[in-house]
Amino acid sequence: MISKFKFSLIISLFLLLYSCGDKTKKISKIVEVDMESQMSNAYKEGYIELKAGDVLLAAKKFNEAELLYPQSPWAPKSAIMAAYAYYTQDYYSDTVYELERYLKTYPNHKDKVYAHFLLGMTFYVQIVDEKKDLKSILDAKKQFELIIKEYPTTEFAIDAKFKINLINEILASKEMYLARYYLNKSKWIPALNRFKTVVNEYNTTIYTEEALHRLVEINYKLGLTEESKKYANTLGYNYQSSDWYKNTYKVFNKNYRDGIKELQKDKKEKIGLIKRFKRLFE
């Protein structure tokens, strides 16, 4: 049996350990509250500096807020705000770094869609000359396509679709630039391939009509009459009233002058005949 002395000693030790554990919990909680308070202050300071226009100091404060209390739900928000601070003053390399770090550090955070959109916009605004550099264009398109696929019901998806349409116009413009160059040099096959890319991959752009006409023109020149007619039919079906269709019509009809005027003349004659016919009943 345990003696009274031993029993008292065990109880005393238990109480001492409990007391120490309770103090440790209290200290831990105090430290946690203090860290959260420091983080909150750093975040507020970052926001104030951002509004004041000092984006470098703002980004520094947001980074401090994240590091002070990384377990806080405000930590990932601070990371995004640091990226946004850089973005507002065109520090694009810093913006990309912060956003890519955020996406790696917080892969399941609820604001990921915003990070992808801001990343896409960072690449998008750096598009300068599509004839020289495609990297920014393709990087932007990749981010916007990801948003449409992963977050189709968000407002960001609507804007992403609009941005992709603009990007496709730029990419089609590059293809047309190269295609016309080959066309002027009588390099028919490279020209055909470029015009086909426009028709197959960028058929919603303003360049589709001309690309179809050029395919008619080149194939006809190469003696590929059936292939030429195929593209002519596509052009006629979709763009019958366009100038490019009239040019295509001339490829197959050398004596063609202006079919549209002829059609208008026929229409006027038809209307005049109807009016004269109506008079018989007046």
Side-chain angles (χ1 to χ4, degrees):
M1 292 179 66
I2 300 174
S3 67
K4 288 183 179 180
F5 174 76
K6 287 183 178 179
F7 182 76
S8 298
L9 183 61
I10 291 169
I11 293 297
S12 298
L13 287 171
F14 176 78
L15 291 172
L16 180 64
L17 289 171
Y18 179 80
S19 176
C20 290
D22 190 46
K23 284 181 181 178
T24 303
K25 285 180 181 178
K26 285 181 180 178
I27 291 169
S28 177
K29 193 170 184 179
I30 290 169
V31 171
E32 187 174 318
V33 169
D34 184 60
M35 294 295 285
E36 187 172 2
S37 176
Q38 289 182 53
M39 184 220 69
S40 177
N41 289 335
Y43 187 93
K44 288 176 184 176
E45 287 175 18
Y47 186 74
I48 291 168
E49 295 301 333
L50 179 61
K51 288 184 72 176
D54 192 341
V55 298
L56 296 178
L57 182 56
K60 181 182 177 182
K61 288 296 179 181
F62 287 129
N63 286 146
E64 282 180 13
E66 180 188 5
L67 292 171
L68 279 168
Y69 198 15
Q71 293 82 21
S72 167
W74 285 92
K77 291 180 182 293
S78 298
I80 291 181
M81 288 302 292
Y84 177 73
Y86 284 126
Y87 175 81
T88 59
Q89 292 296 320
D90 304 343
Y91 291 99
Y92 297 130
S93 59
D94 294 301
T95 305
V96 171
Y97 171 79
E98 291 292 343
L99 289 170
E100 289 182 343
R101 183 181 66 79
Y102 160 85
L103 290 168
K104 287 179 182 177
T105 309
Y106 311 102
N108 300 315
H109 190 245
K110 64 183 181 65
D111 292 329
K112 272 178 64 178
V113 60
Y114 178 77
H116 282 296
F117 185 78
L118 187 57
L119 191 55
M121 286 301 300
T122 303
F123 294 129
Y124 182 81
V125 296
Q126 293 183 79
I127 298 171
V128 178
D129 187 349
E130 73 280 359
K131 300 178 184 68
K132 295 179 181 178
D133 183 21
L134 278 177
K135 188 176 187 310
S136 293
I137 302 173
L138 297 177
D139 286 344
K141 188 175 183 181
K142 179 181 176 182
Q143 293 299 320
F144 293 137
E145 286 177 337
L146 183 148
I147 290 168
I148 293 169
K149 180 181 177 182
E150 300 293 332
Y151 310 96
T153 60
T154 64
E155 59 181 316
F156 296 104
I158 297 170
D159 206 352
K161 288 176 184 177
F162 178 72
K163 292 294 188 299
I164 284 179
N165 287 337
L166 295 177
I167 288 171
N168 285 340
E169 293 285 344
I170 294 170
L171 293 172
S173 171
K174 177 181 173 63
E175 292 296 327
M176 291 298 290
Y177 173 82
L178 293 171
R180 291 180 191 124
Y181 170 81
Y182 290 129
L183 184 64
N184 292 334
K185 296 290 184 180
S186 299
K187 295 183 177 181
W188 312 121
I189 302 305
L192 273 176
N193 290 335
R194 295 290 179 174
F195 287 127
K196 281 181 181 179
T197 298
V198 174
V199 170
N200 294 333
E201 297 182 22
Y202 309 113
N203 54 35
T204 60
T205 68
I206 59 173
Y207 301 99
T208 308
E209 294 173 51
E210 182 186 350
L212 282 166
H213 168 69
R214 298 303 181 191
L215 288 170
V216 172
E217 199 175 41
I218 296 172
N219 278 299
Y220 190 85
K221 192 182 292 289
L222 294 174
L224 303 171
T225 309
E226 291 305 313
E227 191 74 5
S228 183
K229 285 181 179 179
K230 180 185 79 174
Y231 288 112
N233 289 334
T234 302
L235 182 58
Y237 182 80
N238 293 285
Y239 309 99
Q240 191 167 4
S241 61
S242 73
D243 290 337
W244 289 113
Y245 179 68
K246 287 189 283 184
N247 293 335
T248 292
Y249 193 91
K250 292 175 185 177
V251 172
F252 297 99
N253 301 271
K254 301 301 181 184
N255 297 322
Y256 174 74
R257 290 291 178 267
D258 194 339
I260 299 298
K261 288 182 179 178
E262 292 297 322
L263 286 172
Q264 290 173 344
K265 183 180 176 182
D266 290 344
K267 187 176 181 180
K268 286 180 181 178
E269 289 177 354
K270 185 177 180 181
I271 291 171
L273 182 62
I274 291 171
K275 285 182 178 178
R276 289 196 298 272
F277 184 75
K278 280 184 177 179
R279 289 196 193 104
L280 296 174
F281 299 94
E282 292 177 352

